[in-house]
Amino acid sequence: MSFSSLRELIELAEKEKTTIADLMIYTEVQQKGKSKEAILDKMAEQFAVMEEAVRNGTMSPVMSRTGLTGGDGHRLHKYAKKGDSFVNPMTLNAAANALAVSEVNAAMGRIVATPTAGSAGILPAVLVHALDSGKFTRKQIIQSLFTASALGLIIANRASISGATGGCQAEVGSATAMAAGTLVELAGGTPTQVGNAVGIALKNSLGLVCDPVAGLVEIPCIIRNGLHAITAQAAADMALAGVVSIIPPDEVVHVMHEVGQRMPESLRETGIGGLAGTPTGKKLKDQIFSEKNSDCGPAKYQSAYEIIGPVMVGPSSSHTAGAVRIGNIAYQLLNEKPLSAKFSLMGSFADTYQGHGTDLALLGGVMGLSTMDDGIKNAKAIAKIQGLQYEFTKKALGGNHPNTVLVELSGASRQVKVLASSLGGGKVEVQELDGYPLKFSGERPTLVIRHTDRKGVIAELSGALYKNGFNIARMANERSKINGPAITICEVDNNVEETILTLLTEQFSIVSDIVMVETK
């Protein structure tokens, strides 16, 4: 990232006499090495998924896979048409849009994490509402998503967008602030007014706890998305009217981080305290899981698509999309059909994995499914067909992120152990590979090279990659002992073809295996 604070971002936009969206697009072009047109085209695809979720949930009832919630987006949309509401009917449609997206998410439909699945209704709601108003073109709406991503990147890097570490203020609060600031810039507001909108919206969300009933991304998540869509619009209007956030937005973000750190664990996505701990909340949990078969270092965010994305099947970016990616990394590292899988879960993962579909997501991932694959909801049935034996257990896994899992995967001739964490918004980080403390995310193409330790091997490997036209973005090495087994990871800028992997293996006699890993 070329900017690390909201103040820096605002000052840069004012100095350059440009928009925050244009700054983010320029940054994305530089980081990705792609044209502006390609960057905008990808964001257009993201917005198409958002709009589809809005239309699906407002035009007809969408029920969650548990049957606990559903149909409210459609219900509110119909009510607004009567024109007899306390809130302006057009404004009420924004709330209906947010409910709709959140219900599609709870039904394990396809949505875009913005910045997470639990808060995925807010930004699409207000932007589709803005599009429907006729005041803005689709092109303007798509461009505005880069404003949202720039704001979200700063919040994610300075605080958190994970309910497991910061409570719901980190998810719904962040999304509300992103949406408010985006609307201000979309309406022609100044960068300073964008910052004021962020501060106003986020202050209104401080202390918001993450207390999903039965561990499901349904109650109170869906209703919160609806109400906070209207909050985002109101905060934007306040900023455009000249209302100032007396506490600077960067300080509000810092306070959100502090508040999140002081929240008890029971109020951070564990499904234990808050509404989840009420008599009715406990009753619903017992009812759902007795009547329903269960089959049914801080992260550094850099890209716009880590905030406006991933495109995924719901219900949770941390517990579903992140879990799919962890499982998929293990699948790629095994590099053959898995025959057995053991998943040891800790923290929030362990407490709420059935409600969030984490079990389905991990299973889908180790069978090669991606975050947007509709087959995730049927992962257990697919595993049965493929003859994959699996087991889920709870285990203490040290001082890692609350959403951490140890995946032990076996095939006909290979085994792999991957300890990895889901950090929020679908972003993951491998903590250990087969006991070696090697951190990588799989966001870039990553070569995992198993070899024997010896002097000069790192220089030789990097030299061979250079000769074959690859630029190394990051490299790390761990060994068991001098001249013993070792693993080196190389994150590179471009995909490496299988022929190059074979060539490298043949070139170095001490290399026993090379696998390329990349998350989708």
Side-chain angles (χ1 to χ4, degrees):
M1 284 286 293
S2 57
F3 30 82
S4 58
S5 70
L6 290 165
R7 185 183 69 177
E8 182 183 350
L9 176 63
I10 291 164
E11 289 178 351
L12 182 60
E14 290 177 339
K15 178 182 177 183
E16 300 291 332
K17 293 182 171 56
T18 189
T19 64
I20 291 170
D22 280 336
L23 288 177
M24 189 67 237
I25 291 169
Y26 175 78
T27 300
E28 200 71 19
V29 168
Q30 297 300 307
Q31 288 183 346
K32 292 289 192 298
K34 296 181 179 179
S35 68
K36 179 179 178 179
E37 291 72 24
I39 296 296
L40 286 167
D41 285 347
K42 181 172 180 180
M43 194 61 86
E45 293 173 3
Q46 306 284 78
F47 182 66
V49 175
M50 295 180 189
E51 185 181 10
E52 181 183 28
V54 168
R55 306 303 183 202
N56 286 346
T58 53
M59 294 300 104
S60 59
V62 175
M63 302 302 297
S64 70
R65 65 193 183 101
T66 63
L68 187 62
T69 58
D72 287 340
H74 176 61
R75 193 171 290 116
L76 190 59
H77 182 73
K78 284 176 61 180
Y79 172 76
K81 283 184 176 180
K82 296 178 181 179
D84 195 29
S85 55
F86 290 103
V87 175
N88 183 287
M90 278 295 293
T91 302
L92 205 57
N93 275 329
N97 290 349
L99 294 175
V101 175
S102 296
E103 288 172 338
V104 168
N105 179 54
M108 295 194 81
R110 189 175 285 113
I111 54 97
V112 181
T114 52
T116 67
S119 58
I122 297 166
L123 186 62
V126 301
L127 291 183
V128 171
H129 181 268
L131 180 66
D132 289 345
S133 73
K135 298 178 182 177
F136 309 99
T137 66
R138 183 174 294 272
K139 182 179 178 180
Q140 287 176 306
I141 298 293
I142 291 166
Q143 180 135 338
S144 77
L145 283 165
F146 290 94
T147 310
S149 63
L151 300 174
L153 282 168
I154 292 169
I155 294 170
N157 286 327
R158 292 178 68 89
S160 173
I161 56 170
S162 169
T165 57
C168 198
Q169 58 171 4
E171 298 201 19
V172 163
S174 297
T176 306
M178 289 163 54
T182 299
L183 290 177
V184 168
E185 187 163 273
L186 184 62
T190 67
T192 295
Q193 287 176 322
V194 171
N196 284 325
V198 170
I200 291 167
L202 199 55
K203 281 188 291 187
N204 191 60
S205 304
L206 289 179
L208 191 59
V209 301
C210 188
D211 52 350
V213 172
L216 302 165
V217 190
E218 298 187 42
I219 302 171
C221 318
I222 295 174
I223 298 298
R224 279 183 186 162
N225 274 257
L227 291 173
H228 279 258
I230 296 177
T231 296
Q233 292 178 319
D237 279 330
M238 287 182 183
L240 288 166
V243 177
V244 173
S245 176
I246 303 301
I247 306 299
D250 280 316
E251 293 183 26
V252 180
V253 172
H254 178 72
V255 168
M256 183 182 78
H257 177 65
E258 284 189 334
V259 171
Q261 295 297 299
R262 294 176 182 179
M263 273 186 194
E265 185 179 349
S266 63
L267 299 177
R268 287 186 283 151
E269 206 178 42
T270 53
I272 297 172
L275 295 176
T278 62
T280 299
K282 292 177 181 177
K283 180 180 178 181
L284 287 172
K285 180 179 180 179
D286 292 340
Q287 175 184 317
I288 290 164
F289 292 113
S290 63
E291 294 181 0
K292 298 280 184 181
N293 189 293
S294 61
D295 284 347
C296 298
K300 291 298 178 186
Y301 297 77
Q302 298 183 18
S303 170
Y305 304 107
E306 292 179 68
I307 300 298
I308 310 299
V311 175
M312 55 165 282
V313 169
S316 169
S317 47
S318 291
H319 293 244
T320 315
V324 171
R325 283 181 162 171
I326 290 171
N328 192 268
I329 288 173
Y331 168 76
Q332 293 180 66
L333 288 168
L334 184 66
N335 205 25
E336 67 179 26
K337 180 182 177 180
L339 299 177
S340 68
K342 181 178 179 180
F343 306 98
S344 300
L345 309 166
M346 72 167 277
S348 179
F349 259 13
D351 290 329
T352 64
Y353 74 92
Q354 288 176 304
H356 281 118
T358 309
D359 48 352
L360 301 176
L362 287 167
L363 267 178
V366 301
M367 293 186 291
L369 302 185
S370 70
T371 59
M372 63 183 75
D373 200 310
D374 287 329
I376 291 169
K377 65 185 71 173
N378 302 314
K380 292 187 178 181
I382 296 171
K384 186 175 182 179
I385 293 170
Q386 294 189 5
L388 174 62
Q389 302 295 313
Y390 58 86
E391 175 188 357
F392 289 91
T393 65
K394 297 181 181 182
K395 186 176 182 179
L397 298 171
N400 291 298
H401 189 282
N403 296 334
T404 296
V405 59
L406 173 64
V407 182
E408 299 174 77
L409 210 55
S410 298
S413 61
R414 299 166 64 98
Q415 295 181 334
V416 68
K417 291 184 179 182
V418 179
L419 181 69
S421 304
S422 179
L423 306 175
K427 187 179 181 72
V428 304
E429 184 176 67
V430 172
Q431 310 295 343
E432 293 181 9
L433 170 58
D434 290 340
Y436 292 84
L438 287 163
K439 293 180 180 287
F440 64 95
S441 67
E443 288 163 10
R444 296 189 186 97
T446 303
L447 297 178
V448 180
I449 307 167
R450 297 177 187 270
H451 59 90
T452 303
D453 174 61
R454 77 168 191 200
K455 289 183 179 179
V457 67
I458 304 300
E460 291 175 18
L461 286 171
S462 58
L465 288 170
Y466 167 74
K467 288 178 182 178
N468 283 282
F470 294 99
N471 183 43
I472 298 174
R474 178 176 170 270
M475 197 172 192
N477 170 265
E478 289 291 340
R479 63 187 182 184
S480 61
K481 62 180 180 180
I482 296 176
N483 298 323
I487 299 179
T488 295
I489 61 165
C490 293
E491 295 182 355
V492 294
D493 290 337
N494 306 103
N495 283 326
V496 183
E497 296 179 1
E498 190 66 35
T499 53
I500 300 296
L501 299 182
T502 302
L503 183 67
L504 290 171
T505 304
E506 293 173 349
Q507 185 176 346
F508 297 97
S509 59
I510 60 171
V511 172
S512 58
D513 183 59
I514 304 180
V515 175
M516 194 190 83
V517 174
E518 184 178 16
T519 59
K520 300 294 185 183

